[in-house]
Amino acid sequence: MKKLMKKRLSTVAMAVLLLSVADLPGRSEVQYAGIIADPAARARTIVDKRPVLHADGIKFGAYDPNGDFGAQANVATEALFLPWEDVDLETLRAADAYAQARGRNLLITVEPWSWDVDWRLSSDQLRRKVLRGDYDVNMRAIAQMISQLKSPVIIRWGQEMEDKSGRFSWSGWNPQDYIAAYKRMMDIVREEAPGTELMWSPKGEPGLDAYYPGADYVDLVGLSVFGLQRYDELAYSKHRTFSEALKQGYDLVAGYGKPIWVAELGYEGGDAYMKPWIETATLKQSAFPNLREVVYFNDRDVNAWPFNLGRPDWRVVESLAAN
């Protein structure tokens, strides 16, 4: 799995020429809401769908293994995904140098498993081993490496814990077990890498409140917000806007009084579907006063979506290899 790790981390250390943003007219996302599915609605001419960055808007970051944001200014955060098994932690140094050269923070999502599916434990096995302390050494090694990095770091551990789809081995645990595991890992981070910010990152589903570890263990709250046109048509019989997709999760976590991020953002569809997402994802809106930053997931999804929709390609510049 070190080969896979190299793909997802070290490629951020290669600068690429910036691709220009499509010239988009100023339109309100409300104009695109409630569209009834039809073939014309899926017409696609946009070749670069990166979000418009507004001068007085929400900060922007990206998980960008393909380097599409490498030369773009005003990117505040470089996001990384890191398994805690089968990984070469030295790769973090290259990511740190890349981020520092561009004045970016690092958002490191630690996924408590191996990316090699053949080596993954069952959900119950993972839970018991984490709570028993078997993986303390893994987290400690990551935290010790973080302490050596020069960029400001945010750590995000065990994301989307309330999700019931079975996507992650740590999702759907008894809330008290998850909270105990989360606190155990964040205590290690605080011990080894003081000053690191802690992000608690639910998906944004009902029931997430049972997994809240308490204000002392949360500096930032991160949500996941994705928009897939065909999924919206099948699941909602309409095209959702960014605001509509964000609202449920935002409303569920706003009461904690913490800065809120969209820790994973992606959208895919025709021009009429994507334009409001492109134009409003970093726009300050009175409905979301605690929203501080959105982080684009610039890669193909690793999992298939419902309704046999396959793995959506969220990349801002469409990858022919992903088709």
Side-chain angles (χ1 to χ4, degrees), residues 24-193:
L24 300 171
R27 299 282 298 274
S28 166
E29 68 175 8
V30 176
Q31 292 177 265
Y32 297 94
I35 301 174
I36 298 174
D38 66 79
R42 300 191 190 97
R44 176 75 173 267
T45 63
I46 295 173
V47 296
D48 190 327
K49 62 182 182 182
R50 71 188 68 214
V52 171
L53 302 189
H54 301 272
D56 59 346
I58 304 300
K59 288 184 177 180
F60 177 76
Y63 165 61
D64 187 31
N66 303 289
D68 293 320
F69 292 94
Q72 181 169 329
N74 301 323
V75 178
T77 299
E78 192 73 29
L80 312 171
F81 287 79
L82 187 75
W84 70 2
E85 292 187 283
D86 309 307
V87 58
D88 182 1
L89 293 178
E90 286 295 321
T91 318
L92 283 174
R93 295 190 193 276
D96 180 42
Y98 181 90
Q100 190 180 32
R102 290 158 178 79
R104 301 175 183 178
N105 301 319
L106 283 174
L107 170 60
I108 303 175
T109 297
V110 178
E111 297 185 333
W113 61 2
S114 169
W115 281 345
D116 187 335
V117 295
D118 294 332
W119 288 96
R120 289 179 186 171
L121 302 175
S122 69
S123 178
D124 188 58
Q125 288 173 325
L126 178 64
R127 178 187 58 80
R128 286 188 283 107
K129 287 173 72 70
V130 170
L131 292 176
R132 195 168 61 199
D134 292 9
Y135 284 104
D136 286 6
V137 63
N138 300 63
M139 197 65 192
R140 195 169 300 278
I142 293 171
Q144 288 172 349
M145 176 59 75
I146 289 173
S147 72
Q148 300 173 41
L149 304 182
K150 297 178 181 179
S151 304
V153 175
I154 301 163
I155 196 78
R156 177 182 180 237
W157 184 88
Q159 75 275 21
E160 301 185 7
M161 72 298 296
E162 87 280 22
D163 179 48
K164 296 180 174 61
S165 70
R167 177 171 186 167
F168 296 123
S169 301
W170 56 88
S171 297
W173 287 356
N174 176 285
Q176 293 308 311
D177 286 343
Y178 176 85
I179 290 171
Y182 175 92
K183 287 183 175 181
R184 186 182 192 107
M185 296 304 110
M186 294 311 196
D187 282 340
I188 291 173
V189 172
R190 283 175 164 168
E191 178 183 344
E192 300 290 349

Side-chain angles (χ1 to χ4, degrees), residues 162 200 202-209 212 221 223 246-256 260:
E162 87 280 22
W200 175 71
K203 185 175 183 179
E205 301 288 338
L208 64 80
D209 57 304
Y212 187 63
V221 174
L223 299 169
L246 171 62
K247 180 175 172 53
Q248 173 181 272
Y250 183 94
D251 288 349
L252 289 171
V253 301
Y256 300 132
I260 297 171

Side-chain angles (χ1 to χ4, degrees), residues 58 90 181 230 245 271 278:
I58 304 300
E90 286 295 321
R230 187 61 182 141
D271 288 4
I278 291 169

